[in-house]
Amino acid sequence: GEELAERLARSLVYEDRWLLVFNKPAGLAVHGGSGVSMGLIETLRAIRPDDKSLELVHRLDRDTSGLIMVARHRPFLRKLQRMMQAGEVEKRYWLLCQGFKGQARTMDAPLLKTSHGNERVVSVSRDGKASLTEFRLLERLNGFQLLEATLGTGRTHQIRVHAQHGGFSLLGDDKYGNPSVTQEIARLGIHRLCLHARSLRLRHPETGDMLSLTAQLDDAFEHAIASLKNKAGKR
């Protein structure tokens, strides 16, 4: 609808003749399917009819907000995907969790994806694919933590499962989180998955320029941080 089209127009972070980058809203699927008729890519194709070859470069979970790249031409898509496979695209995420110890931690644990009906579930397994996430503390929030995660690989649900495996599940994670913590933060008005694709850094494969892009936090994520700062110690 028009409302979604307007939201996407406002969330455009970067545009050139080859590439679009959006700050995807939480709750918006990147593509249709599994009961979702219109995702981000279908909406963009509808509202940008002159762009004949729009394709997602990578994906974000529906409940994750933040930066997502959309290629405007298929040859450029292939170039970007080769760069990602070679580790030449730096992706950093911000997340809220509980239970993180110390200042930094590297999770090097293989991840295995399985399907139960239409639901995908990921777990740490020796039979899985090599997966690497580096976590760094940004701020402590009255028993909770704001972290930055840097991806060494790009597996499905990687940050969420590595955080769960490390004992510091993400806040608002209905699949891999702690249900009692989810109930606790709901009383503070926190109802979203607290994971945000904060920044992208890469050398533009056509121009050679270094792109450093940042996505602002949405109101719900900002509210979560403020609530944990101001109220968590008083509950």
Side-chain angles (χ1 to χ4, degrees):
E2 292 183 6
E3 181 181 354
L4 177 56
E6 291 173 2
R7 288 182 71 191
L8 287 178
R10 292 195 303 269
S11 68
L12 182 65
V13 173
Y14 177 84
E15 178 177 7
D16 63 27
R17 58 186 289 194
W18 301 279
L19 177 66
L20 303 170
V21 184
F22 291 89
N23 183 357
K24 185 189 81 67
L28 174 64
V30 294
H31 58 79
S34 300
V36 178
S37 59
M38 288 282 284
L40 179 141
I41 191 64
E42 291 87 5
T43 304
L44 288 178
R45 288 167 180 164
I47 65 178
R48 287 176 167 262
D50 292 337
D51 276 315
K52 304 296 185 183
S53 303
L54 293 177
E55 296 285 351
L56 293 166
V57 178
H58 57 112
R59 300 187 180 191
L60 291 178
D61 293 340
R62 179 175 182 173
D63 294 327
T64 301
S65 57
L67 293 175
I68 187 160
M69 294 185 286
V70 177
R72 303 179 78 172
H73 309 285
R74 186 165 291 275
F76 187 75
L77 168 70
R78 290 194 288 266
K79 289 180 181 180
L80 275 181
Q81 290 181 332
R82 284 195 296 268
M83 289 177 62
M84 293 179 65
Q85 292 168 359
E88 297 171 356
V89 178
E90 180 187 88
K91 294 192 289 184
R92 295 176 183 257
Y93 291 70
W94 281 15
L95 61 108
L96 289 168
C97 67
Q98 185 181 56
F100 187 81
K101 310 296 183 184
Q103 297 296 314
R105 186 169 179 185
T106 297
M107 297 296 298
D108 186 356
L111 297 178
L112 179 67
K113 180 169 60 176
T114 56
S115 296
H116 300 277
N118 291 327
E119 184 179 15
R120 293 178 301 174
V121 177
V122 179
S123 59
V124 172
S125 169
R126 289 180 296 178
D127 298 325
K129 295 182 179 180
S131 305
L132 179 71
T133 313
E134 296 180 354
F135 294 94
R136 181 174 67 91
L137 178 70
L138 297 177
E139 189 173 359
R140 295 197 179 277
L141 306 166
N142 293 311
F144 300 89
Q145 299 84 39
L146 174 64
L147 306 183
E148 181 179 76
T150 304
L151 292 182
T153 51
R155 310 299 181 202
T156 300
H157 299 171
Q158 177 174 320
I159 292 173
R160 298 163 65 184
V161 178
H162 273 172
Q164 177 201 45
H165 185 66
F168 48 97
S169 296
L170 271 63
L171 302 189
D173 191 339
D174 292 334
K175 181 172 287 190
Y176 303 107
N178 184 326
S180 63
V181 175
T182 298
Q183 293 178 359
E184 180 182 359
I185 64 170
R187 292 193 289 269
L188 298 176
I190 301 171
H191 302 289
R192 64 155 290 180
L193 173 67
C194 295
L195 180 61
H196 178 72
R198 175 68 171 176
S199 67
L200 282 168
R201 182 174 170 83
L202 66 148
R203 189 166 294 282
H204 197 294
E206 294 293 342
T207 68
D209 295 337
M210 184 60 71
L211 292 182
S212 295
L213 306 175
T214 302
Q216 295 299 311
L217 300 175
D218 63 19
D219 291 344
F221 206 118
E222 293 277 16
H223 167 77
I225 294 174
S227 296
L228 296 177
K229 279 183 178 181
N230 299 328
K231 300 178 183 179
K234 301 177 183 179
R235 65 187 183 279

